[in-house]
C-alpha cells in the first residue's frame, strides 16, 4: 500500500501550481466554493471524498496523490500500471509454457509485434484475447486475479455514492473500482463461455 507523504492542503497547493491556476479558477472548474478551497489549502479542513474527487478531476491529478499518498500524480497511472502487471503475468506464463513470441502469436492469430506490445503493457489487452491467452498458457485464475487486485488496490480514495469502499483499510479510487468491475465482468464472461 502507498503511504501518506503529504497533507491534502500541500498537494492541493501543488496541484494549483502545476496547473498554473488560481483558487478562483479551481472553484469554477470544480464547483467547490473558493472559501472551501482556501480552507483546504490552509489545512483548516481535510477534503471530504466528493470534494477530493471533484478537485482531482479539475486539477487533472490522481485522487490518491491529491490526498497525499506516494503515488504518481497523473490520472490514469493506476490503469497503466494494471496493464503492465497483467502483461507481466501473461508473459511469464508464455515463457514458462515454452512458447516463443512467434509461436504464441501464430496460435493466437495476431502479429508477433502486436503480442510484444501487449506483453510490454504498452496497450491494454481486450478481454477476448486475454481469455485466449489464459487458456493457451494455462494461467491459474487466482494468480491473474491476485496480480490485478494487488495493482488496483495499490493506491487510494474514491467516493462511492456517499460511502467509502476500502481494501485492507485503504479507500479505493473511482478508477480502481471501475477496473475491478470490468475485471469481474471479464471473469464472468469467460466463466460463462467455459460451460
Amino acid at each position: 500500500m502507498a503511504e501518506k507523504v503529504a497533507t491534502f492542503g500541500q498537494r492541493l497547493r501543488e496541484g494549483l501550481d502545476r496547473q498554473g491556476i488560481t483558487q478562483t479558477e479551481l472553484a469554477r472548474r470544480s464547483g467547490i466554493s473558493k472559501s472551501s478551497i482556501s480552507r483546504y489549502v490552509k489545512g483548516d479542513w481535510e477534503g471530504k471524498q466528493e470534494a477530493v474527487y471533484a478537485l482531482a478531476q479539475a486539477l487533472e491529478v490522481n485522487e490518491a496523490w491529491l490526498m497525499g499518498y506516494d503515488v504518481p500524480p497523473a490520472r490514469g497511472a493506476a490503469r497503466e500500471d494494471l496493464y503492465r502487471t497483467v502483461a507481466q503475468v501473461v508473459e511469464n506464463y508464455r515463457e514458462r509454457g515454452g512458447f516463443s513470441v512467434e509461436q504464441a502469436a501464430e496460435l493466437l492469430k495476431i502479429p508477433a509485434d502486436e503480442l510484444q506490445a501487449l506483453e510490454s503493457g504498452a496497450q491494454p489487452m481486450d478481454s477476448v484475447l486475454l481469455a485466449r491467452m489464459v487458456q493457451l498458457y494455462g494461467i491459474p485464475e487466482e494468480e491473474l486475479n491476485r496480480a490485478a487486485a494487488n495493482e488496483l488496490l495499490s493506491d487510494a480514495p474514491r467516493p462511492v455514492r456517499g460511502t467509502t469502499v476500502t481494501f485492507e483499510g485503504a479507500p479505493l479510487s473511482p478508477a480502481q473500482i471501475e477496473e475491478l468491475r470490468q475485471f469481474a465482468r471479464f471473469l464472468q464472461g469467460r466463466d460463462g463461455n467455459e460451460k
Side-chain angles (χ1 to χ4, degrees):
M1 283 293 170
E3 66 179 84
K4 202 158 184 175
V5 296
T7 67
F8 176 63
Q10 290 167 330
R11 287 289 173 83
L12 188 54
R13 168 53 51 207
E14 188 176 338
L16 286 163
D17 293 344
R18 284 170 169 263
Q19 288 290 315
I21 62 172
T22 64
Q23 291 180 20
T24 302
E25 176 60 17
L26 180 58
R28 187 190 68 72
R29 290 183 186 184
S30 67
I32 307 289
S33 73
K34 183 185 176 306
S35 62
S36 292
I37 291 171
S38 178
R39 302 288 300 263
Y40 294 143
V41 170
K42 290 178 189 174
D44 295 342
W45 293 349
E46 195 67 26
K48 299 248 190 267
Q49 291 176 353
E50 291 81 6
V52 171
Y53 183 69
L55 292 166
Q57 283 192 311
L59 292 170
E60 300 176 8
V61 296
N62 180 311
E63 293 86 352
W65 178 85
L66 187 59
M67 290 293 295
Y69 288 94
D70 187 19
V71 297
R75 291 186 75 76
R79 177 173 288 127
E80 292 163 8
D81 290 345
L82 174 66
Y83 297 155
R84 281 191 293 277
T85 298
V86 169
Q88 187 63 54
V89 170
V90 169
E91 181 181 23
N92 288 344
Y93 271 86
R94 177 186 55 75
E95 290 172 351
R96 284 183 198 172
F99 295 101
S100 69
V101 170
E102 293 75 19
Q103 291 169 324
E106 186 176 324
L107 291 167
L108 294 166
K109 297 180 178 26
I110 62 172
D113 60 338
E114 182 179 338
L115 179 57
Q116 287 177 316
L118 291 167
E119 287 186 351
S120 74
Q123 65 187 56
M125 294 181 205
D126 69 64
S127 59
V128 173
L129 181 57
L130 181 57
R132 289 173 38 212
M133 291 175 164
V134 165
Q135 186 175 24
L136 177 64
Y137 305 154
I139 302 172
E141 181 179 324
E142 314 78 58
E143 183 156 348
L144 196 56
N145 290 348
R146 183 174 38 257
N150 285 341
E151 188 58 52
L152 288 171
L153 303 175
S154 67
D155 65 353
R158 175 227 166 127
V160 181
R161 296 189 191 119
T163 63
T164 303
V165 176
T166 63
F167 179 77
E168 297 182 348
L172 302 181
S173 72
Q176 291 170 321
I177 292 172
E178 183 54 36
E179 291 287 348
L180 286 171
R181 286 183 181 136
Q182 288 177 4
F183 194 69
R185 285 192 293 271
F186 158 73
L187 291 175
Q188 289 170 340
R190 186 189 69 191
D191 292 343
N193 292 335
E194 290 179 349
K195 293 178 182 176

